[in-house]
């Protein structure tokens, strides 16, 4: 399950980025098509989680919740929804600022650039989700120090290779070539 919840957002971001690239290649990228690509990626994520959870838990055959429990859960869900909405607004306040200073095309391009930048952080985040618990458990009885050493080497070499690749595809790196 931890792998599922680490991989699902990655799949969602890859679907979104792929759809944006398709719209760019067709010359049809607008704020509306970008929003449609985002909605489609959310639907893919929801369908994947729904299928996986139903397969593992079989929640459709479970009995209904008691009314008091449902009320408590609904109250918590509403407060979590409000908090998530506020977090989204705070996280994306930059788009609102850009929209006040520039035209809608610039806002769309900024949003796509932001999504691509998030995509670049995708792999390190997912590796961190899978890697850091192993490092933390290394000192426990039964911890596997050899596995952590190999993983540390792989992560370090991968980070250096990725950094060199990004450097040589960026403008300063192209000037050196």
């Amino acid at each position: 399950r931890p792998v599922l919840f680490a991989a699902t957002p990655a799949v969602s971001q890859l679907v979104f980025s792929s759809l944006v690239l398709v719209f760019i290649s067709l010359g049809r990228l607008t704020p509306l098509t970008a929003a449609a690509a985002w909605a489609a990626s959310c639907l893919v994520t929801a369908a994947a989680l729904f299928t996986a959870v139903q397969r593992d838990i079989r929640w459709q055959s479970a009995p209904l919740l008691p009314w008091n429990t449902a009320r408590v859960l609904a109250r918590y869900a509403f407060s979590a929804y409000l908090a998530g909405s506020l977090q989204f607004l705070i996280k994306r306040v930059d788009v609102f600022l850009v929209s006040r200073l520039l035209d809608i095309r610039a806002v769309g391009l900024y949003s796509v650039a932001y999504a691509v930048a998030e995509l670049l952080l995708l792999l390190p985040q997912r590796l961190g989700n899978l890697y850091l618990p192993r490092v933390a458990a290394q000192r426990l009885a039964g911890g596997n120090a050899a596995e952590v050493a190999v993983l540390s080497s792989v992560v370090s070499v991968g980070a250096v290779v990725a950094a060199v690749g990004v450097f040589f595809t960026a403008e300063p790196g192209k000037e050196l070539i």
Side-chain angles (χ1 to χ4, degrees):
R1 287 175 57 117
V3 172
L4 172 71
F5 285 100
T8 306
V11 170
S12 175
Q13 288 177 342
L14 287 173
V15 168
F16 174 71
S17 299
S18 299
L19 289 173
V20 166
L21 289 174
V22 167
F23 286 131
I24 288 172
S25 68
L26 295 174
R28 302 257 183 196
L29 184 64
T30 64
L32 185 61
T33 57
W38 176 77
S41 68
C42 289
L43 287 173
V44 167
T45 303
L49 284 174
F50 179 82
T51 303
V53 169
Q54 175 60 22
R55 185 190 67 225
D56 294 342
I57 299 175
R58 304 258 183 239
W59 58 267
Q60 287 180 330
S61 60
L64 292 176
L65 288 175
W67 177 247
N68 288 336
T69 304
R71 276 188 29 227
V72 169
L73 289 175
R75 194 174 7 190
Y76 173 75
F78 180 72
S79 64
Y81 176 77
L82 283 177
S85 299
L86 289 174
Q87 178 191 14
F88 172 77
L89 289 175
I90 290 170
K91 183 178 178 189
R92 296 310 306 233
V93 74
D94 56 339
V95 173
F96 297 120
L97 291 173
V98 169
S99 69
R100 298 293 287 166
L101 300 173
L102 301 171
D103 63 344
I104 193 72
R105 184 176 189 281
V107 174
L109 291 174
Y110 177 80
S111 296
V112 170
Y114 187 86
V116 169
E118 281 186 336
L119 187 62
L120 291 175
L121 293 174
L122 184 67
L123 184 61
Q125 289 170 347
R126 298 307 170 245
L127 284 175
N129 288 346
L130 298 173
Y131 173 65
L132 291 178
R134 295 179 189 276
V135 172
Q138 172 185 351
R139 295 186 184 258
L140 296 175
N144 194 350
E147 179 184 9
V148 171
V150 169
L151 286 173
S152 296
S153 299
V154 168
V155 168
S156 298
V157 169
V160 168
V161 167
V164 168
V166 168
F167 176 77
F168 282 113
T169 57
E171 289 300 319
K174 287 180 182 176
E175 291 175 12
L176 289 176
I177 295 178

